[in-house]
Amino acid sequence: MSSQPPQPPHLHKKPTSFPDVIFTAFSLFVIFSSSNPTTSLLRKFTPLVSFPLNPRRFLRIPTMSNPSPSNLRNPIHHFPNPQSLSDWLRPRMPSDSFAAWGVKPGTKNVSNLWLELSEGETLLADSTPPVRTVEVMVVKVIGKDNKVLVESHQELSDGAVRHRCRPLSEKMKPGETVDDAVFRAVKEELGSVLGGSFGELRENGIVKILPNSYSKKVEEGVSASYPGLPACYVLHTVEAAVDGLPEEEFCTEETDEYGDSSERMVADGAVSCKKHYWKWVDADSL
């Protein structure tokens, strides 16, 4: 009689030993002895998330287009007009400071802030008082003998004079790159003496951004334009050479600061800049 071939080792059934039975029973006991096994598993696999008691939220009018990724926030308040913004601000601001907006020389009014919000240039934190956050393009124009161009003061539409003593600065638009902001700022504030279009300034090499000059920093303080309103300025700074500028002190005109705004009636009620006054200073004096 022929014998059957031996089976492979892995087909041999190993009898269950008594210690294995005890171990299995003990494991089941541990699992089901928990008062709430589902909760235990969730605690094991769900990361803990903490939420602030009073999160700071940002406000923006939804009529803006092409928001910058760094500024994108979900709008939680809509201000259809400057009056609605004023009504929202009044209980959140020191009364004497808010009353000075557009009245104290050199300040702006609620229409200005509403336009900044509608065009995506400003964010407001939902706090008391609110905090205004602005991304600013600062262009340090380098001239002869390494001097820097600064704006000494401005003449406003209401006849007031606002002292500046800072390099060329302009609020950035939503989605705007640093390069685009530089050329737009130069065109808007120095264009009356340079001539040419935005494209010509760029293509003809009239404005040259100096390599490796970019820097970024954040400054906090109280807004000079809006008394009593805390501000956070995100400053993007470059150095640039601009051909065709006078070597002495000079003045430029801004025909219509809000000329491209779709809110013509609101823009007419805002305080705008009419003239910029410039001078060259030593870099060490900045």
Side-chain angles (χ1 to χ4, degrees), residues 203-218:
E203 295 169 3
N204 297 340
I206 297 174
V207 181
K208 306 179 188 70
I209 301 174
L210 303 185
N212 302 318
S213 64
Y214 173 79
S215 65
K216 177 182 177 180
K217 69 175 181 178
V218 177

Side-chain angles (χ1 to χ4, degrees), residues 209-273:
I209 301 174
L210 303 185
N212 302 318
S213 64
Y214 173 79
S215 65
K216 177 182 177 180
K217 69 175 181 178
V218 177
E219 290 185 355
E220 296 181 346
V222 177
S223 173
S225 299
Y226 306 103
L229 184 65
C232 175
Y233 301 99
V234 182
L235 305 177
H236 304 264
T237 303
V238 299
E239 295 180 352
V242 179
D243 295 337
L245 293 176
E247 295 183 1
E248 305 296 331
E249 295 185 11
F250 63 97
C251 170
T252 58
E253 295 185 3
E254 194 159 341
T255 54
D256 192 353
E257 184 178 358
Y258 298 106
D260 58 350
S261 174
S262 60
E263 302 292 342
R264 188 68 261 175
M265 292 184 63
V266 178
D268 289 341
V271 178
S272 60
C273 180

Side-chain angles (χ1 to χ4, degrees), residues 4 6-7 10 15-16 25 33 42 53 62 86 113 154 176 210 223 234 238:
Q4 293 183 353
Q7 293 183 352
H10 67 277
T16 303
S33 62
L42 286 175
L53 293 178
S86 178
L113 185 59
Q154 298 175 343
E176 191 172 40
L210 303 185
S223 173
V234 182
V238 299

Side-chain angles (χ1 to χ4, degrees), residues 58 60 64 67-74 120-123 133-135 172-175 234:
F58 289 88
R60 182 184 288 175
M64 65 180 181
S68 167
S70 62
N71 281 345
L72 188 60
R73 300 289 188 275
N74 293 325
E121 296 177 340
T122 287
L123 295 172
T133 299
V134 188
E135 296 205 28
M172 296 182 71
K173 302 287 187 181
V234 182

Side-chain angles (χ1 to χ4, degrees), residues 2-55:
S2 60
S3 61
Q4 293 183 353
Q7 293 183 352
H10 67 277
L11 293 181
H12 285 290
K13 292 184 179 180
K14 182 180 180 181
T16 303
S17 63
F18 185 72
D20 289 341
V21 174
I22 295 177
F23 178 79
T24 302
F26 178 77
S27 300
L28 293 173
F29 173 79
V30 170
I31 293 175
F32 290 101
S33 62
S34 173
S35 59
N36 191 345
T38 302
T39 303
S40 300
L41 291 173
L42 286 175
R43 287 175 179 172
K44 181 176 180 181
F45 295 106
T46 304
L48 296 178
V49 180
S50 61
F51 296 91
L53 293 178
N54 185 23

Side-chain angles (χ1 to χ4, degrees), residues 10 27 38 55 69 71 77 112 121 141 157 196 199-200 273 277 281 286:
H10 67 277
S27 300
T38 302
N71 281 345
H77 279 271
N112 290 95
E121 296 177 340
V141 179
S157 58
E200 290 173 338
C273 180
Y277 292 84
V281 301
L286 290 178

Side-chain angles (χ1 to χ4, degrees), residues 68-143:
S68 167
S70 62
N71 281 345
L72 188 60
R73 300 289 188 275
N74 293 325
I76 58 174
H77 279 271
H78 307 323
F79 303 112
N81 50 56
Q83 184 59 51
S84 63
L85 174 59
S86 178
D87 294 341
W88 184 86
L89 285 168
R90 196 176 303 279
R92 294 168 170 81
M93 293 283 300
S95 58
D96 54 341
S97 298
F98 188 57
W101 288 21
V103 177
K104 181 181 177 181
T107 63
K108 297 181 179 180
N109 58 34
V110 173
S111 294
N112 290 95
L113 185 59
W114 188 87
L115 288 169
E116 291 179 13
L117 288 165
S118 66
E119 294 173 7
E121 296 177 340
T122 287
L123 295 172
L124 277 183
D126 189 4
S127 55
T128 303
V131 178
R132 171 178 172 250
T133 299
V134 188
E135 296 205 28
V136 182
M137 189 69 247
V138 181
V139 185
K140 290 184 177 180
V141 179
I142 309 299

